[in-house]
């Protein structure tokens, strides 16, 4: 079982909502290492001053594609060396650049009071564009968007962009015919825990769906799920933070259905098939 922390209050919706806090406090996340797994991208930059939308920079960036490739970029008195550390397969739905981590800052124009903390979500909003983010969220289930907004874990947005929720072309899973239609109905029925009767279980199921879509190790998935539930304000009955295993246990009906569908467990399908299923489960 889980309960809402004492500093949480019910909002206008069925599930409890957090108090609103400052943008910098809400958006900053310690899970930037996980965000790198959410999008297949070979290049990111940790400087707010780096403009990946600059045509000249974009032209040279296209030439840095293999691990070990370097770009030398100068801005005023500062020199930035960007090195490709790892390259991943990507498709047209993947943004050209994402920031997956960083530290420090460039105190431009004598602004020595600048915050040294890197706002990953704000940087990626600039890199991907607000219109792209809004388009992605418009194609996402309302209850999934609600979990992202309440938790402040905006690293999920690049993950949803990578899933390409607008995609309609046939994939590894065939959704036509009676059997395919039944699979779609089961996916769209998730979570099986109703928000009115079991708000914690409903949140936990949605968090698990999002984390499964990242295709990470179980250890990292558990870490992220626990963090998101903490951000949503859920703790154990003893007041202690929930573990990743606790998050799974909060939604037994949904977790069992996910395993039966091949999204997780011993009989999990191949990654490409799981992504097809998760796309159906997460889109509007």
């Amino acid at each position: 079982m889980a309960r809402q922390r004492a500093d949480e209050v019910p909002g206008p919706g069925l599930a409890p909502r957090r108090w609103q806090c400052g943008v910098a406090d809400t958006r900053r996340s310690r899970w930037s290492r996980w965000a790198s797994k959410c999008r297949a991208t070979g290049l990111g930059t940790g400087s707010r001053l780096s403009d990946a939308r600059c045509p000249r920079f974009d032209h040279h960036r296209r030439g840095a594609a293999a691990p070990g490739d370097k770009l030398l970029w100068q801005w005023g008195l500062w020199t930035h060396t960007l090195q490709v550390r790892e390259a991943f397969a990507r498709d047209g739905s993947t943004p050209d650049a994402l920031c997956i981590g960083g530290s420090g800052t460039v105190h431009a124009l004598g602004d020595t009071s600048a915050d040294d903390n890197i706002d990953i979500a704000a940087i990626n909003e600039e890199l991907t564009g607000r219109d792209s983010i809004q388009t992605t969220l418009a194609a996402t289930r309302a209850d999934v968007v609600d979990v992202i907004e309440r938790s402040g874990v905006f690293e999920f947005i690049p993950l949803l962009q990578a899933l390409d929720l607008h995609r309609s072309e046939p994939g590894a899973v065939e959704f036509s015919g009676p059997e395919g239609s039944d699979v779609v109905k089961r996916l769209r029925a998730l979570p099986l825990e109703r928000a009115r009767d079991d708000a914690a279980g409903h949140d936990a199921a949605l968090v698990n769906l999002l984390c499964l879509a990242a295709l990470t190790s179980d250890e990292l998935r558990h870490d992220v799920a626990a963090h998101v539930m903490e951000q949503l304000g859920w703790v154990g009955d003893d007041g202690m933070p929930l573990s990743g295993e606790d998050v799974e246990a909060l939604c037994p009906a949904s977790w069992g259905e996910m395993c039966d569908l091949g999204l997780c467990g011993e009989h999990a399908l191949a990654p490409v098939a799981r992504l097809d299923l998760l796309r159906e489960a997460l889109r509007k």
Side-chain angles (χ1 to χ4, degrees):
M1 298 293 291
R3 63 179 176 82
Q4 204 74 6
R5 286 200 309 260
D7 62 338
E8 306 296 326
V9 295
L14 296 176
R17 293 178 179 269
R18 289 181 57 82
W19 288 103
Q20 292 296 315
C21 51
V23 172
D25 181 47
T26 302
R27 287 182 171 179
R28 188 171 300 124
S29 170
R30 56 192 172 95
W31 299 106
S32 58
R33 68 187 179 98
W34 171 76
S36 65
K37 300 293 185 181
C38 294
R39 291 308 292 264
T41 181
L43 178 64
T45 174
S47 172
R48 288 295 301 274
L49 299 174
S50 299
D51 189 355
R53 293 167 296 177
C54 171
R56 183 174 59 182
F57 180 78
D58 184 70
H59 170 76
H60 292 292
R61 185 184 62 206
R62 298 178 192 278
D69 288 352
K70 292 183 179 181
L71 291 177
L72 186 65
W73 183 61
Q74 293 182 317
W75 187 88
L77 299 176
W78 291 274
T79 298
H80 301 258
T81 301
L82 285 76
Q83 180 177 3
V84 178
R85 300 293 298 275
E86 190 173 359
F88 303 88
R90 66 182 299 279
D91 55 29
S93 65
T94 304
D96 290 337
L98 281 177
C99 178
I100 60 174
S103 62
T105 187
V106 177
H107 298 300
L109 303 178
D111 183 11
T112 57
S113 63
D115 190 350
D116 284 345
N117 291 302
I118 301 298
D119 192 340
I120 304 295
I123 294 171
N124 285 332
E125 182 177 309
E126 293 185 11
L127 291 173
T128 60
R130 183 176 295 274
D131 290 343
S132 176
I133 292 174
Q134 293 303 320
T135 299
T136 298
L137 293 180
T140 307
R141 289 174 45 166
D143 50 2
V144 174
V145 175
D146 178 64
V147 164
I148 294 173
E149 291 180 340
R150 284 191 288 124
S151 68
V153 182
F154 294 101
E155 287 86 350
F156 281 127
I157 296 177
L159 170 63
L160 294 171
Q161 288 175 315
L163 283 174
D164 192 8
L165 300 179
H166 295 281
R167 181 183 298 180
S168 58
E169 297 84 358
V173 178
E174 181 57 60
F175 291 117
S176 61
E179 185 176 347
S181 298
D182 179 65
V183 170
V184 171
K185 289 179 181 179
R186 292 171 66 186
L187 291 168
R188 297 292 178 85
L190 295 170
L192 300 181
E193 292 77 16
R194 302 296 95 182
R196 184 181 301 277
D197 303 318
D198 185 2
H202 187 267
D203 277 356
L206 292 173
V207 169
N208 280 318
L209 274 175
L210 284 166
C211 291
L212 285 170
L215 301 181
T216 63
S217 66
D218 287 345
E219 180 183 2
L220 186 51
R221 176 173 56 82
H222 284 157
D223 285 347
V224 176
H227 170 66
V228 178
M229 289 295 281
E230 180 183 12
Q231 292 297 102
L232 290 169
W234 295 110
V235 294
D237 287 339
D238 56 0
M240 298 298 292
L242 298 167
S243 67
E245 291 82 357
D246 292 334
V247 178
E248 292 175 5
L250 281 174
C251 54
S254 292
W255 187 254
E257 182 76 337
M258 293 179 205
C259 291
D260 289 343
L261 286 165
L263 293 175
C264 51
E266 296 181 1
H267 304 292
L269 299 174
V272 65
R274 278 181 276 155
L275 289 177
D276 283 345
L277 296 174
L278 288 160
R279 186 179 299 111
E280 284 295 323
L282 293 170
R283 67 182 169 191
K284 186 177 293 182

